[in-house]
Amino acid sequence: MSTATHEVASQAPEVLHLDGITKRFGSLTANDSITLGLVPGRIHCLLGENGAGKSTLMNILFGLLRADEGTISVGGNVLHLENPKQAMAAGIGMVHQHFMLIPVFTVAENMVLGREPGRFGKLDLNGARKLVRQLSDRYRLDVDPDALVEDLPVGIQQRVEILKALANDARYLIFDEPTAVLTPQEIDELMVVMRTLRDEGRAICFITHKLREVVAVADDITVIRRGKVVGEATPDASEGDLAELMVGRAVNLTVDKAPPTLGKERLVLTDFTVANAAGTIVVDHLNLTVSGGEIVCIAGVQGNGQTELAEALLGTMAVIHGTAILDGVDVTHMPPKKTIEAGLGFVPEDRQRDGFVGDFSIAENLVLNRTTSFSSVGNLDLGRIRSNADERIEEFDIRTSSQSQPVRSLSGGNQQKVVLARELSRPLSLLVANQPTRGVDVGAIEFLHNRIVKERDRDTAVLIVSTELEEVESLADRIAVMYRGRIVGVVEPDTPRDVLGLMMAGVPFEEAARSVEKSRTEHADV
Amino acid sequence: MSEELVEEKMMPATPAPVPARAPASRRWVSLVVTLISFVLAFVTGAIVMVVADPEVLGKFAYFFNAPGDALGASWDKISTAYSALLRGSVGSWLAITETTAQAAPLICAGLGVALAFRAGLFNIGAQGQAIWGAIFGAWIGFTIKGLPWFIHIPIALALAMVFGALWGAIAGFLKAKTGAHEVIVTIMLNYIALYMLQFLLTTPMLQQPGRSDPISSVVEFSATMPRLAGTRLTLGFFIALAAAVAVWWLLERTTLGFRIRAVGLNPHAAATAGMSVSRTTIVAMAIAGSLAGLAGAQAVLTPTLLTGFPTQLSLGIVGTVGFDAITVALLGRSRPLGVVLAGLLFGALKAGGLTMAAEAQTPSDLTNLIQALIVLFVAAPAFVLWLVPGLREKRPGADITAKAATA
Ligand SMILES: Nc1ncnc2c1ncn2[C@@H]1O[C@H](COP(=O)(O)OP(=O)(O)OP(=O)(O)O)[C@@H](O)[C@H]1O
Ligand SMILES: [Mg+2]
């Protein structure tokens, strides 16, 4: 084992071969004899539907799961990867979608975790600090080594994960859906970092559901469907082609929707003000009205109060001023139980934390907030809970071996589908969805967007929070741009992106439109 | 390492002490680990027995001259002790019923701890809750007179459960409303309950008239659990089994149980789904307390083992049932059926331990030691798996990987 590692480290970089990898979970074959090569100096994109088996394959490569069949080898040496430590020793690094950092530790402390660089068992924190600085200078990944991880935004936490992998001098880097939680700017920065790493001669395996990113950085593309490799593509393939290869049918990447037929005003927010636990005002005298039959999208850079607005509507955050009226009823200070009863459908931003109970089955999670309608005199109606689960799994195409599977063991996108299936399957007066299609594949996005539009056409008021401009543009009937807890302006969905971009930095609509206009004419003059 | 264990590392840590229903392979491993834990505990118990007996130990001084002497004496000692243990716990109809009598309060209090676990709460307070149950069970038991047993016993049990529930709910309330940690709060409430018992036993409310020591009047016959003639099987054991069924039903079949489990596993998602985490915490602690109160009432309403006569409230009446309950709940994996089995096991150890101490002159704490070791090993599966490396190789999947890798 260790000799193999040294050879890997001393030789010129070699291709890492995954050969005939098969992994079964009970009756389900998550990976069906997958063969793949990771070539140094190239970015290899892994594409596939939710539940296709991408994360499973990568977890095998990183030693987190063991394959039932198949080998992993570098230059003819078979690697025995039984745990991440061995994988790291073999030069494999992984940036997880759900970070594996210890929140109450500083960045430097997280770096030394599991590496024990010091002598006599003493942690070499100064060395770790220096290492963080060196690496962050070299890759322009700006991180403060002494910051507590829990205080950092997700984008920076991810940088720490990348630095951790680089500190081990990983030659084969796995990125499992790194962009799902990033803002567009952070995604651009990550792409730059990935290209730098590639140009240094590292092999990168990149998983994403955003075809735009694939087209932008991929050198090689492999498509997996239901555990099998179904095709390869070159980076000049169009997004439509890739989508079709992935899902197995043509996918409509834009949303077909009729113009909205506006009903009466359903949600009226007046001077709506929310403070977080630390007492900072995060939603600041916000005024907004959403009518039945329309989709209002809240656009904005993450961290401008969108999440808090959504949570305050549900009732898990305290409203300190102003009112929220839903269908004429004051819901400002209602607890979640009451707002849910009043017809609020809620899709939380962080599904792992707020969206489901990981150890509960799919069936249980599908009724998590509606036990009263699936019970009589306090006793659960198991029959109806089961048939409801069968229907939802069928309707939302949740890929699972059984409805009693714990949601924690579903693939990321399928977990999201469970949350949406629950929220979109009861009569709603208002749907508040935060990043509704995070981590969901293109085929499922098409379906979910259509479901959301259908919900709108039932005269439901729909409020979507999304940092994904594409999603905002395709779903919105109106776009409300949020900046520092306030609505900067409410604009039409066809507003140009550069105007939206300026508004997201706090510039009012007229001014933004004028300055974009001006720069356009200037460019035209040149 | 087990696949599922590896999987768990990837997930954000949940505070829940109870795993979800484990997949078949992991359940199999945990069963084997439990069995090995028993064996290890009894082996360690045997060593202690030998070491603690000066006579046997003396023979080891000339071990190399006559090893048969030392080994023979050890074997004698161990076999006498363990056969006495077996005889005292399951060796006869009487022994078996004795086991059930010892198990009944353990099961009730164990259910209380287990239920709190499922809500994500570490209820160390079963002892205090049981003490209140004993106080009010006894009080009803000796103050009310002239009732038929089928009315008197339910009243005594009900009041015991109400006060156990109140004592539990206080901890739940403090946790829910002030964030005070339930472990600290319940430990302190245990002391308060104990000193309240001490105090009340010197007041006219409880103290037997004419006595100056802290002891109450004797419970009425009508409040004493009926016992199957010639055995030690009492109504209390059936009440314990019924409580287990009720807790199972509550957890698996009711909306309240659904909420308790959801809050225990992921309080954030539970709150987002409209469940009140604080109310669920209080209710769960109240129910847990009522079960421990039931255990306390059993202690005073069960007839004295030997004579079959009613008993009376004294300072040590509940023994350590509230603390044993924690081990019962842990060993029973916080599931009702598991708690019943663990309660029976510990009941058997208690019943057989008496015989063992009498016949083999083993230290009286030996059964407690074995009990503690079992739980220790069960709680440290990695240690057991490390001790028994063969177990790891036999795991399905692992050997296939090994073959494939060498191919
Ligand atoms: N521990 C497990 N037990 C049972 N089934 C599992 C387990 N882990 C994964 N699976 C199943 O294996 C399949 C592949 O899951 P995987 O997470 O690899 O998908 P994915 O391609 O990463 O999907 P996504 O794009 O949604 O993240 C899924 O059907 C999933 O339910
Ligand atoms: Mg995945």
Side-chain angles (χ1 to χ4, degrees):
Chain A
M1 171 70 237
S2 63
T3 50
T5 313
H6 287 301
E7 277 168 42
V8 172
S10 56
Q11 282 172 4
E14 289 196 69
V15 182
L16 186 143
H17 289 287
L18 291 136
D19 200 11
I21 301 284
T22 297
K23 175 73 190 175
R24 297 182 198 92
F25 294 109
S27 60
L28 180 117
T29 307
N31 286 168
D32 193 349
S33 125
I34 292 185
T35 297
L36 199 76
L38 297 183
V39 186
R42 293 181 82 81
I43 297 177
H44 196 133
C45 272
L46 215 49
L47 273 182
E49 294 173 285
N50 297 128
K54 306 177 295 292
S55 298
T56 304
L57 186 68
M58 292 302 113
N59 287 339
I60 290 170
L61 179 54
F62 194 54
L64 282 163
L65 287 175
R66 256 180 272 168
D68 295 324
E69 287 160 33
T71 54
I72 300 170
S73 61
V74 173
N77 291 314
V78 174
L79 302 178
H80 302 263
L81 304 173
E82 303 209 334
N83 55 46
K85 218 169 177 166
Q86 292 176 350
M88 284 191 278
I92 300 166
M94 183 159 181
V95 176
H96 297 270
Q97 183 177 349
H98 304 116
F99 307 137
M100 305 236 237
L101 301 171
I102 301 202
V104 295
F105 279 12
T106 66
V107 172
E109 283 166 340
N110 268 288
M111 294 288 283
V112 292
L113 265 187
R115 283 172 25 86
E116 306 121 39
R119 278 190 299 165
F120 311 121
K122 189 172 168 290
L123 289 181
D124 183 8
L125 274 183
N126 276 326
R129 264 190 215 109
K130 225 186 279 162
L131 190 65
V132 172
R133 291 218 185 82
Q134 265 172 16
L135 288 169
S136 56
D137 281 353
R138 182 151 144 219
Y139 297 101
R140 271 175 283 142
L141 287 165
D142 208 13
V143 180
D144 170 11
D146 293 312
L148 282 186
V149 164
E150 64 183 354
D151 294 340
L152 298 174
V154 273
I156 309 287
Q157 290 191 22
Q158 191 172 65
R159 286 184 186 175
V160 181
E161 283 257 326
I162 298 174
L163 288 178
K164 257 187 99 166
L166 291 176
N168 281 308
D169 199 26
R171 280 137 204 284
Y172 307 94
L173 274 164
I174 305 164
F175 287 86
D176 190 357
E177 288 191 52
T179 57
V181 291
L182 299 186
T183 63
Q185 296 90 309
E186 287 170 329
I187 291 175
D188 291 341
E189 288 162 18
L190 179 66
M191 300 280 157
V192 174
V193 172
M194 281 180 19
R195 287 200 191 96
T196 315
L197 294 170
R198 170 190 62 189
D199 296 342
E200 282 185 351
R202 294 174 209 268
I204 292 181
C205 187
F206 175 41
I207 299 176
T208 180
H209 286 294
K210 300 177 193 170
L211 301 175
R212 185 170 17 93
E213 296 165 5
V214 177
V215 175
V217 295
D219 298 309
D220 307 301
I221 300 169
T222 298
V223 182
I224 302 183
R225 199 188 311 147
R226 295 187 189 260
K228 286 201 180 89
V229 174
V230 291
E232 263 134 43
T234 48
D236 50 22
S238 75
E239 291 184 25
D241 294 342
L242 289 176
E244 190 169 342
L245 199 53
M246 226 171 107
V247 185
R249 62 175 166 85
V251 179
N252 187 353
L253 293 172
T254 55
V255 182
D256 295 321
K257 66 179 172 56
T261 30
L262 282 196
K264 58 181 188 336
E265 290 184 349
R266 297 198 86 157
L267 175 72
V268 183
L269 299 176
T270 318
D271 284 341
F272 199 68
T273 305
V274 182
N276 63 15
T280 318
I281 297 210
V282 280
V283 177
D284 191 3
H285 292 81
L286 181 139
N287 293 296
L288 184 69
T289 305
V290 187
S291 302
E294 73 165 338
I295 300 176
V296 174
C297 281
I298 305 228
V301 177
Q302 204 158 24
N304 276 284
Q306 303 98 312
T307 303
E308 290 85 353
L309 169 64
E311 288 185 359
L313 282 173
L314 176 70
T316 46
M317 272 194 99
V319 181
I320 57 168
H321 185 74
T323 53
I325 309 288
L326 179 59
D327 286 339
V329 180
D330 186 345
V331 296
T332 320
H333 300 292
M334 275 188 185
K337 184 175 160 44
K338 289 278 155 49
T339 52
I340 292 168
E341 276 169 15
L344 173 71
F346 185 81
V347 178
E349 180 186 23
D350 186 345
R351 60 171 175 253
Q352 300 265 340
R353 180 177 183 269
D354 300 319
F356 56 80
V357 178
D359 288 316
F360 270 19
S361 68
I362 299 175
E364 286 174 311
N365 272 297
L366 282 169
V367 297
L368 198 63
N369 56 14
R370 316 201 268 157
T371 43
T372 29
S373 31
F374 283 88
S375 62
S376 54
V377 282
N379 284 314
L380 296 171
D381 187 341
L382 294 186
R384 275 181 47 230
I385 291 176
R386 276 192 215 111
S387 57
N388 172 65
D390 284 336
E391 285 162 27
R392 297 288 84 77
I393 288 170
E394 165 85 34
E395 183 184 358
F396 284 81
D397 189 24
I398 298 167
R399 302 281 167 88
T400 171
S401 43
S402 123
Q403 54 156 275
S404 53
Q405 191 179 348
V407 169
R408 129 171 320 175
S409 69
L410 287 182
S411 81
N414 283 301
Q415 294 176 344
Q416 185 72 9
K417 287 193 233 164
V418 169
V419 177
L420 278 150
R422 178 180 68 219
E423 298 307 312
L424 288 173
S425 305
R426 64 194 154 101
L428 297 180
S429 45
L430 169 68
L431 173 67
V432 176
N434 202 338
Q435 313 291 355
T437 55
R438 176 172 279 179
V440 170
D441 69 46
V442 278
I445 287 181
E446 177 191 26
F447 169 77
L448 292 172
H449 279 174
N450 285 332
R451 271 306 295 256
I452 291 173
V453 170
K454 210 160 110 193
E455 194 58 49
R456 174 199 78 166
D457 295 340
R458 275 187 207 140
D459 198 39
T460 304
V462 180
L463 189 64
I464 304 276
V465 176
S466 181
T467 49
E468 199 80 12
L469 272 183
E470 248 165 69
E471 178 161 81
V472 168
E473 281 165 356
S474 56
L475 274 182
D477 297 316
R478 290 190 294 149
I479 301 176
V481 183
M482 200 162 166
Y483 175 72
R484 295 212 173 146
R486 285 170 177 268
I487 299 288
V488 182
V490 180
V491 294
E492 294 299 312
D494 56 5
T495 309
R497 279 201 185 179
D498 31 12
V499 177
L500 284 177
L502 278 175
M503 291 178 73
M504 280 156 68
V507 182
F509 174 66
E510 279 83 20
E511 207 178 307
R514 236 181 292 127
S515 89
V516 166
E517 188 65 28
K518 204 165 129 223
S519 72
R520 279 211 187 112
T521 47
E522 272 167 16
H523 278 286
D525 288 346
V526 174
Chain B
M1 197 186 306
S2 134
E3 258 154 44
E4 289 76 17
L5 288 180
V6 176
E7 285 285 297
E8 253 165 25
K9 282 203 200 136
M10 306 170 53
M11 311 308 292
T14 48
V18 186
R21 179 140 310 172
S25 64
R26 202 193 326 181
R27 252 179 288 164
W28 183 79
V29 170
S30 97
L31 190 70
V32 173
V33 167
T34 307
L35 289 178
I36 293 174
S37 302
F38 287 1
V39 174
L40 288 175
F42 280 100
V43 169
T44 317
I47 295 171
V48 170
M49 238 185 269
V50 170
V51 172
D53 189 327
E55 204 178 308
V56 180
L57 201 60
K59 296 203 161 70
F60 275 88
Y62 54 92
F63 180 80
F64 291 104
N65 299 329
D69 248 21
L71 293 181
S74 306
W75 175 250
D76 273 354
K77 175 83 184 176
I78 296 164
S79 58
T80 327
Y82 282 157
S83 65
L85 183 71
L86 268 184
R87 245 179 305 119
S89 54
V90 291
S92 63
W93 179 229
L94 186 71
I96 292 174
T97 56
E98 162 95 28
T99 292
T100 61
Q102 296 283 0
L106 286 176
I107 293 172
C108 291
L111 287 170
V113 177
L115 186 118
F117 263 141
R118 299 293 290 271
L121 300 163
F122 209 152
N123 178 17
I124 307 289
Q127 183 74 6
Q129 295 146 14
I131 287 176
W132 282 109
I135 292 174
F136 282 91
W139 186 63
I140 296 284
F142 65 73
T143 47
I144 302 182
K145 295 186 167 59
L147 286 180
W149 67 267
F150 53 86
I151 298 181
H152 201 170
I153 291 178
I155 295 178
L157 293 182
L159 209 71
M161 289 178 75
V162 166
F163 278 86
L166 277 175
W167 210 241
I170 292 174
F173 180 83
L174 290 173
K175 161 99 183 180
K177 299 297 173 194
T178 70
H181 200 285
E182 76 274 10
V183 168
I184 313 283
V185 172
T186 50
I187 288 176
M188 293 306 143
L189 287 173
N190 282 345
Y191 283 112
I192 299 176
L194 179 64
Y195 292 125
M196 284 302 287
L197 172 64
Q198 216 167 55
F199 166 70
L200 289 175
L201 274 174
T202 62
T203 64
M205 176 191 167
L206 292 184
Q207 197 170 29
Q208 189 175 345
R211 293 283 291 256
S212 59
D213 52 338
I215 196 137
S216 79
S217 305
V218 176
V219 170
E220 291 291 302
F221 262 106
S222 60
T224 303
M225 302 274 187
R227 192 157 102 162
L228 195 64
T231 73
R232 289 167 188 175
L233 181 64
T234 71
L235 177 65
F237 182 63
F238 296 101
I239 292 177
L241 293 184
V245 173
V247 169
W248 175 82
W249 182 271
L250 171 77
L251 283 172
E252 305 296 330
R253 290 298 163 86
T254 68
T255 52
L256 175 61
F258 188 87
R259 285 199 297 275
I260 288 176
R261 288 186 291 130
V263 167
L265 290 167
N266 184 350
H268 300 293
T272 304
M275 303 174 191
S276 163
V277 176
S278 49
R279 195 178 325 137
T280 308
T281 300
I282 298 171
V283 169
M285 278 305 290
I287 301 174
S290 74
L291 289 160
L294 185 61
Q298 293 227 358
V300 287
L301 302 184
T302 305
T304 331
L305 284 176
L306 286 175
T307 62
F309 281 118
T311 179
Q312 57 201 131
L313 185 65
S314 61
L315 271 180
I317 186 80
V318 301
T320 54
V321 68
F323 301 115
D324 295 342
I326 299 168
T327 51
V328 168
L330 282 173
L331 186 61
R333 297 282 200 282
S334 295
R335 296 181 188 283
L337 178 63
V339 168
V340 170
L341 295 178
L344 279 170
L345 176 80
F346 286 179
L349 279 175
K350 266 193 182 357
L354 298 173
T355 321
M356 181 166 72
E359 291 187 12
Q361 280 83 47
T362 54
S364 60
D365 282 331
L366 190 65
T367 50
N368 287 337
L369 177 79
I370 292 174
Q371 200 167 311
L373 284 169
I374 292 175
V375 174
L376 195 69
F377 289 131
V378 166
F383 176 66
V384 174
L385 289 173
W386 174 76
L387 276 180
V388 193
L391 197 62
R392 271 173 294 171
E393 253 90 275
K394 281 201 204 76
R395 308 280 323 297
D399 49 353
I400 301 174
T401 321
K403 261 184 246 146
T406 46

